[in-house]
Amino acid sequence: MSDILLEVKNLTTELGEGPGAVRAVDNVSFTIHKGETFALLGESGCGKSMTALSIMRLLPKPAGNITTGEIRLAGQDLLHLPEMAMRGIRGGKIGMIFQEPMTSLNPVLTVGRQIGESLQLHKGLSGKALTDRVRELLDAVGIPDSARRMNEYPHQLSGGMKQRVMIAMALAGEPELLIADEPTTALDVTIQAQVLELLQKLQQDTGMAMLLITHDLGVVANMVDRLGVMYAGEIVETACREDFFAAPQHPYSQKLFQSLPDMNKRDQALTQIPGTVPPLSERFSHCRFAERCDFAWAHCRDHIPAWTELDKERGVRCFLHQDDIEKPVKDAGQRANTRIPASHTGDTLLNVKSLKMHFPIHKGVFRRVAGYVYAVDDVDLSIAEGETLALVGESGCGKTTVGKAILQLLRPTSGGVDFAGTELTQLKGEALRQRRSDFQIIFQDPFSSMNPRMRVGEIIEEGMVAQGVGENAQERQRLISEMLEKVGLRPEHIRRYPHEFSGGQRQRICVARALAVQPKLIVCDEPTSALDVSVQAQILNLLKQLQHDLGLAYLFITHNLSVVGYLADRVAVMYLGRVVEEGPVEEVLNNPQHPYTEALISAVPQVDESTKREVIRLEGDLPSPSAPPQGCHFHPRCPKAMAQCKQSYPDKTRLDDRHWVKCHLSG
């Protein structure tokens, strides 16, 4: 008897009709065995999620249609089932965790009601049996106090808890196959580690198979048995995990590995994949990766490569592996990347002392102050000219609030912000506006930070006009064209709107907007969190080169410690509104002294087996900043907590001239 659970064969899915139809999934084939985890890996827009939606038959109507292929679940052909029968499959035999839990959960229904809907439909439960099963599922996915939480609404839960509710909903029908579409993309590393561990445990307990969709190589390295790499709607490589990470065979797969940032590449530019993914409305008569491939030759641009089986579990779609094709004598290899000299740091540019940002909590008819949210509580920071300081920590710890308070976008409750000898907290009105050209911000989401009704040229020029940069409109247009070229865009992009660009290009526009007023300091708020690894490499290279050329200083806010290791000179670790450790990036990442820093670093998924650490599990979520724990704020989650930690907050302990920590263990 075959142990194949899911078989996808020659699947083609189109969006739209006629010559302009987008072939989002093109002749895709793969199998998933019972109890196995299979990953679809690739950049955004390559067809991963559309493959999953095709399996579930949840394509957007009337535009989406499966034109050819087969999808068999335990031998049953899903494409020939009527819609009523498919409703029994969805949430029953196949469960799905969607990418964004907040948009997938109904905001007007309690989480218990939403989980209960699946149990009523697929298991026929009601009354006390239904309530008990909902609580069992919430307990199984690690949500504490399930009796109370089941009556709460999605907005009352943290990001990690919302993702756990999505998992509970997917498991309610006791599926044979679980499809997890980017289940950890928007989560902090600590929450990501909890979710991945939970999925692995549930898989072991239930014996279900899993289709994991992701672009994170670290997650793949820690989770999967086999994988398929997708590019431009088709699978270009399949392999078991060990073989793939030992030696990827397709040039696209190799480029993905070379694009990964880490501390060993600090003095060089990251490998970039030139160009962009071809439009999927094109009818290809050549290799889809040829225009971006170091190995391509004329044959690649004139013919479509066939699928080549390398062994029983491994295949690749590339002419380099076809024995009957004559190949030119050419070895692109791993070329030495361009070196980017370190930026020379100068005098102290920014000095933040005892910064506090407390937001009042108003209650009652008369809006009396009933308490405060201690978003930032006594933070000290300094940044020199040409230096990068990374500010890391979980979501909700106060990182973005620190950045906005430094720029005076939020007025601090107390404390000092000295910028190049000027105390910014004392400036008001026109005096503050005149200094804004010296410090700028790149926001986390480039699309929402730009006016969709303004062209790119107008978006960049707006700040220049406000700060008096450029003598006239003609001069400003010239400067804008130069700035776009500097960030890797073309002058003709001036006349386009934000929606006409990719995510990486939109982030470049935001960089150009920040640079247009000739700043000395840029606050980068999670500028790469939503980007694929290849696009992330482009933005990091750009920021590093601009820093070298212009002497810029960066406050880099992120939770991606791999990016920190590549880009930052120093790193400050925040927890619940306070910095708990600060020092040179090599010392902090290689020898963390605070238990929270240790946990953050241990939770980062590693591609290289030799660099993996034992993951330190942090129980629970970040406490509320409106009611921080007494003593050390970290002690309720700290695996090394002592009695003293519950009584007093630790003082700063200097480990050397540049590295300090606030922890009773060090004190």
Side-chain angles (χ1 to χ4, degrees):
M1 185 176 176
S2 173
D3 69 340
I4 293 177
L5 176 64
L6 179 74
E7 183 179 15
V8 177
K9 190 174 181 180
N10 303 326
L11 176 66
T12 299
T13 300
E14 293 188 356
L15 300 175
E17 296 179 350
V22 172
R23 193 167 290 174
V25 181
D26 195 0
N27 200 33
V28 164
S29 300
F30 61 89
T31 59
I32 301 178
H33 299 271
K34 295 175 181 177
E36 178 185 49
T37 299
F38 182 88
L40 283 178
L41 173 69
E43 296 175 279
S44 297
C46 71
K48 307 186 301 295
S49 295
M50 198 56 66
T51 301
L53 293 175
S54 299
I55 293 170
M56 298 285 283
R57 284 179 51 187
L58 286 174
L59 295 171
K61 293 296 182 183
N65 291 287
I66 297 172
T67 56
T68 63
E70 299 177 18
I71 302 173
R72 295 186 177 276
L73 182 71
Q76 185 178 30
D77 190 347
L78 300 185
L79 297 185
H80 289 87
L81 290 180
E83 176 59 25
M84 186 61 70
M86 272 305 298
R87 291 176 186 173
I89 298 291
R90 299 187 201 110
K93 291 185 177 181
I94 306 178
M96 186 163 180
I97 305 169
F98 292 93
Q99 184 168 355
E100 177 48 65
M102 194 61 224
T103 57
S104 303
L105 294 171
N106 191 326
V108 300
L109 296 180
T110 64
V111 296
R113 173 86 177 273
Q114 295 183 61
I115 298 171
E117 285 180 340
S118 182
L119 291 170
Q120 288 174 308
L121 177 63
H122 298 288
K123 298 299 178 183
L125 298 182
S126 61
K128 185 176 183 300
L130 176 65
T131 302
D132 290 345
R133 182 56 181 154
V134 169
R135 288 190 58 183
E136 285 178 15
L137 286 167
L138 290 175
D139 289 335
V141 298
I143 292 184
D145 196 6
S146 57
R148 177 172 62 88
R149 292 291 189 183
M150 66 181 290
N151 295 313
E152 292 185 340
Y153 293 87
H155 73 272
Q156 296 175 278
L157 306 179
S158 67
M161 282 194 178
K162 284 195 280 277
Q163 195 64 286
R164 288 167 184 267
V165 169
M166 287 293 299
I167 295 172
M169 290 173 64
L171 294 175
E174 300 176 7
E176 299 173 27
L177 172 67
L178 177 66
I179 300 175
D181 186 1
E182 300 275 12
T184 61
T185 294
L187 302 180
D188 301 312
V189 288
T190 51
I191 307 300
Q192 174 179 268
Q194 293 176 14
V195 170
L196 294 179
E197 183 184 40
L198 171 63
L199 288 174
Q200 287 178 313
K201 181 180 182 300
L202 292 170
Q203 188 176 26
Q204 291 170 0
D205 293 345
T206 63
M208 66 182 177
M210 193 187 313
L211 172 59
L212 177 66
I213 294 170
T214 184
H215 63 256
D216 191 325
L217 286 165
V219 171
V220 172
N222 287 268
M223 284 285 292
V224 310
D225 302 301
R226 292 187 304 120
L227 60 97
V229 180
M230 288 195 75
Y231 181 78
E234 66 179 5
I235 290 182
V236 296
E237 181 173 0
T238 58
C240 67
R241 178 185 59 189
E242 294 79 5
D243 290 345
F244 180 74
F245 283 91
Q249 296 299 304
H250 196 280
Y252 173 62
S253 305
Q254 295 167 6
K255 282 281 191 180
L256 289 179
F257 277 92
Q258 294 166 25
S259 299
L260 291 172
D262 66 49
M263 201 179 298
N264 298 324
K265 302 177 182 177
R266 288 175 59 83
D267 62 343
Q268 64 188 44
L270 295 171
T271 297
Q272 297 181 197
I273 305 178
T276 57
V277 178
L280 299 186
S281 57
E282 181 180 343
R283 294 301 175 256
F284 297 97
S285 59
H286 56 275
C287 173
R288 304 178 189 203
F289 190 60
E291 296 303 319
R292 310 176 73 190
C293 181
D294 292 338
F295 298 89
W297 71 98
H299 191 82
C300 303
R301 298 181 179 92
D302 296 330
H303 299 83
I304 298 175
W307 183 259
T308 303
E309 294 285 347
L310 302 180
D311 58 42
K312 185 179 178 181
E313 290 191 339
R314 187 156 212 185
V316 66
R317 192 182 300 278
C318 181
F319 287 121
L320 290 172
H321 298 276
Q322 289 185 223
D323 295 334
D324 58 337
I325 301 295
E326 184 178 349
K327 306 168 187 64
V329 180
K330 180 180 179 182
D331 181 15
Q334 283 201 14
R335 296 169 180 164
N337 288 353
T338 306
R339 295 183 68 82
I340 302 180
S343 180
H344 295 290
T345 56
D347 298 332
T348 299
L349 178 66
L350 177 73
N351 196 16
V352 178
K353 287 289 185 184
S354 303
L355 184 69
K356 295 183 179 181
M357 194 73 235
H358 299 169
F359 297 97
I361 301 171
H362 297 282
K363 288 187 177 181
V365 176
F366 297 104
R367 310 294 293 160
R368 292 190 177 93
V369 176
Y372 290 89
V373 175
Y374 301 97
V376 179
D377 200 22
D378 201 21
V379 166
D380 296 339
L381 295 173
S382 67
I383 305 176
E385 297 171 351
E387 183 183 38
T388 300
L389 173 68
L391 192 59
V392 305
E394 294 172 282
S395 296
C397 71
K399 305 187 300 295
T400 297
T401 306
V402 167
K404 290 182 177 180
I406 288 172
L407 301 182
Q408 305 303 298
L409 298 175
L410 296 172
R411 283 296 193 172
T413 305
S414 65
V417 181
D418 184 298
F419 182 85
T422 302
E423 180 55 53
L424 298 183
T425 58
Q426 301 300 316
L427 297 182
K428 297 180 181 178
E430 186 62 30
L432 179 59
R433 279 193 291 273
Q434 289 178 355
R435 292 305 304 268
R436 288 211 177 275
S437 62
D438 289 335
F439 39 85
Q440 290 291 298
I441 185 169
I442 301 171
F443 292 98
Q444 182 171 356
D445 184 351
F447 191 65
S448 64
S449 67
M450 291 188 284
N451 189 328
R453 296 182 178 87
M454 293 174 68
R455 291 183 171 91
V456 165
E458 297 168 333
I459 289 170
I460 298 174
E461 189 180 21
E462 189 176 28
M464 300 173 72
V465 172
Q467 293 299 324
V469 177
E471 296 180 1
N472 50 48
Q474 187 176 3
E475 173 70 7
R476 286 193 292 272
Q477 289 300 306
R478 184 185 66 79
L479 292 173
I480 291 169
S481 296
E482 291 178 359
M483 196 60 60
L484 288 175
E485 288 189 34
K486 189 169 287 186
V487 300
L489 296 173
R490 296 191 298 274
E492 58 265 29
H493 287 154
I494 286 177
R495 293 180 293 277
R496 295 187 186 177
Y497 290 92
H499 73 270
E500 298 180 78
F501 296 89
S502 68
Q505 287 175 318
R506 284 197 283 263
Q507 199 60 283
R508 288 170 182 266
I509 294 167
C510 290
V511 174
R513 176 174 60 182
L515 291 174
V517 294
Q518 301 162 3
K520 299 174 183 175
L521 169 72
I522 299 180
V523 175
C524 305
D525 187 6
E526 300 272 16
T528 63
S529 64
L531 304 180
D532 297 313
V533 63
S534 57
V535 181
Q536 173 182 269
Q538 296 172 10
I539 298 301
L540 293 178
N541 284 345
L542 172 64
L543 292 175
K544 203 163 187 121
Q545 189 64 56
L546 290 171
Q547 183 175 51
H548 173 259
D549 295 344
L550 304 176
L552 296 170
Y554 295 135
L555 175 61
F556 200 89
I557 297 169
T558 184
H559 62 253
N560 189 329
L561 295 179
S562 299
V563 171
V564 170
Y566 173 72
L567 190 68
D569 300 299
R570 291 185 298 119
V571 57
V573 182
M574 277 194 79
Y575 186 80
L576 210 62
R578 299 185 180 185
V579 175
V580 297
E581 184 169 1
E582 183 187 313
V585 68
E586 295 92 343
E587 287 187 31
V588 174
L589 296 189
N590 291 329
N591 187 28
Q593 295 300 304
H594 196 283
Y596 178 60
T597 312
E598 282 187 90
L600 281 182
I601 294 170
S602 75
V604 177
Q606 297 295 318
V607 172
D608 187 354
E609 288 282 346
S610 63
T611 62
K612 288 184 179 179
R613 304 168 182 248
E614 181 182 350
V615 178
I616 300 171
R617 304 297 183 200
L618 295 182
E619 298 301 325
D621 293 307
L622 201 71
S624 171
S626 62
Q630 186 177 354
C632 174
H633 293 171
F634 185 58
H635 85 261
R637 304 172 71 193
C638 181
K640 300 179 180 179
M642 308 175 294
Q644 184 181 1
C645 303
K646 302 176 184 179
Q647 298 166 2
S648 62
Y649 197 88
D651 295 325
K652 182 186 294 185
T653 300
R654 286 211 166 269
L655 306 173
D656 56 42
D657 291 343
R658 303 180 66 200
H659 191 179
W660 58 263
V661 64
K662 291 181 178 178
C663 180
H664 288 302
L665 291 169
S666 298

